Amino acid sequence: TPPLRLAAPLFVPFFQCALTAALCLGLSLGAACGPPCPGLPALRLDPKVSRSVLPLSAVFIGMVTSNNLCLKYVGVAFYNVGRSLTTVFNVLLSYLLLKQTTSLYALLACGVIIGGFWLGVDQEGAEGTLSWTGIFFGILASLCVSLNAIYTKKVLPVVDGSIWRLTFYNNVNACVLFFPLMMLLGEFRTLYHFDKLGSPSFWGMMTLGGVFGFAIGYVTGLQIKFTSPLTHNVSGTAKACAQTVLAVIYFEETKSFLWWTSNLMVLGGSFAYTWVKGLEMRKVQEDPNVKSGERNETGV
């Protein structure tokens, strides 16, 4: 933020990842000393497991970094539209990686999302607040969010389905990957000259953010484990709706009718896509004669 003038967008998620890994380890050790808790397995760093989780960690870093950079260049209210293409990337990646086709109605819903995205970009430009750099990072964030959900589902068997272990390994890997990137971008030099580095209030807010990051990451993993990447992305869209309204109220902004229309198109398209996929999944479950390829397609 301008009062802080801390131009270190990688240091913040690095600190949050380090705190999350420390919290996982600390709570696990605490559970080991007390009554056994099946939800908190003992944690030890296995290099083989760490390497298997590494692809997810790389995508996770891309997601966190691009999210932060998008938020740096666009307003909180536009943030939802700026990174609204996650569902579209889900469809595209399902076809490119899994060779799974998508129904016409689902594609039409994606078309509504894309239309809402472009209308939102147009309205930001009309208000003079458009940042193409922010749009680029928003699109990149959408891609990484989609990949993150897919890889989370894929990597879970490596950690025996334990979200606790996955959170630990993912954040340890992320810390290791963040370190050279921070050096490359000169963030250690920025931190050295940062005048609030010794401020208790600064570290208090950083720690609070890290605790929230830990909670969000754990709940996200649970949601993907027990539902699907699609369900997680759609619930994220609902969260973004509340976030947009709160941001407009908090910052006392005035938005045009078309600006709100773009948000409604994004949200409506996302929920329409979910509704269509839900109907298709129900049809698959009720019809035992559906081909296996169709079963896989509707389960994404």
Side-chain angles (χ1 to χ4, degrees), residues 69-87:
L69 290 172
C70 176
L71 198 55
K72 176 181 178 180
Y73 292 103
V74 304
V76 179
F78 184 68
Y79 181 65
N80 168 38
V81 174
R83 49 182 297 278
S84 60
L85 300 180
T86 300
T87 302

Side-chain angles (χ1 to χ4, degrees), residues 44-107:
R44 63 182 183 85
L45 196 59
D46 185 338
K48 183 179 179 180
V49 175
S50 183
R51 285 195 299 270
S52 298
V53 178
L54 194 58
L56 170 64
S57 302
V59 171
F60 174 74
I61 282 186
M63 178 185 71
V64 172
T65 303
S66 54
N67 271 331
N68 284 359
L69 290 172
C70 176
L71 198 55
K72 176 181 178 180
Y73 292 103
V74 304
V76 179
F78 184 68
Y79 181 65
N80 168 38
V81 174
R83 49 182 297 278
S84 60
L85 300 180
T86 300
T87 302
V88 177
F89 278 117
N90 267 353
V91 172
L92 184 61
L93 291 172
S94 296
Y95 178 76
L96 294 177
L97 300 180
L98 306 175
K99 304 302 179 185
Q100 296 173 356
T101 57
T102 304
S103 67
L104 175 62
Y105 290 115
L107 290 176

Side-chain angles (χ1 to χ4, degrees), residues 204-221:
M205 291 301 294
M206 288 287 289
T207 302
L208 181 62
V211 171
F212 277 121
F214 163 75
I216 291 169
Y218 186 72
V219 172
T220 294

